[in-house]
Amino acid sequence: MKTRRHIPSSRPARTQRGAVLIIALIMLVLVTMVSLTVIRSATLEEKMAGNARDRDKAFQATEAALRICLARLMDDSYVGANPTAQDPAPTGSEPVWAATSANWTNNAIAIPMTEIDTSAYGIAASPRCIFERLGVGTGSYRVTARGVGVQSTSPVILQATYTAE
């Protein structure tokens, strides 16, 4: 006659309920949530770095355009409307550079891409300058330059004042 031998286990089979499976699933969900947070953070940081780079390119191109426009004003080599013949904006009115975006198309002097190294800047459009006389009979001018970066949604405006001696 054969006898059955029962091998004792540390726990009886009826008390095991799959707790390890539930804990493993909870840990898997937590690891997934942490991973998603890290991915979102990295993506956001990459977008911020790209936007900062784009703004820096726009700033550098606008600064170069402002220097070119000031040089043109100093040696009377500007192309387009004569800034010395323009009357200043009436007192209390908005300056030309701030009035409308159409002024940047109609009243501004575009700086050709040949004068600004586009390979160094990689900008979307040529920067532009607007000259404004600051008072009747004075030799003071406000030169405003506006440029954009790789995308046209990152405009930068810089101003300088020039007084002829």
Side-chain angles (χ1 to χ4, degrees), residues 7-137:
I7 301 173
S9 64
S10 59
R11 290 188 182 181
R14 56 193 149 127
T15 61
Q16 295 180 1
R17 308 247 187 239
V20 172
L21 177 63
I22 292 173
I23 291 172
L25 288 175
I26 290 172
M27 293 300 290
L28 183 61
V29 167
L30 290 174
V31 167
T32 303
M33 289 174 58
V34 168
S35 299
L36 288 175
T37 302
V38 168
I39 290 171
R40 279 189 191 154
S41 176
T43 303
L44 180 63
E45 288 174 8
E46 186 176 339
K47 286 180 183 179
M48 289 188 313
N51 289 339
R53 180 175 173 257
D54 193 29
R55 191 200 178 283
D56 285 345
K57 285 184 175 230
F59 182 86
Q60 291 170 5
T62 305
E63 185 177 28
L66 183 63
R67 289 179 187 266
I68 291 170
C69 291
L70 282 171
R72 287 182 180 177
L73 185 62
M74 287 180 210
D75 63 9
D76 287 341
S77 64
Y78 41 79
V79 179
N82 184 345
T84 59
Q86 295 175 7
D87 290 328
T91 306
S93 66
E94 277 191 287
V96 176
W97 66 269
T100 63
S101 60
N103 282 345
W104 284 106
T105 318
N106 302 332
N107 299 331
I109 297 171
I111 305 302
M113 293 292 208
T114 55
E115 291 190 46
I116 296 178
D117 184 11
T118 56
S119 62
Y121 297 113
I123 52 180
S126 294
R128 296 180 170 267
C129 294
I130 292 179
F131 298 98
E132 296 176 87
R133 193 161 34 164
L134 294 177
V136 177

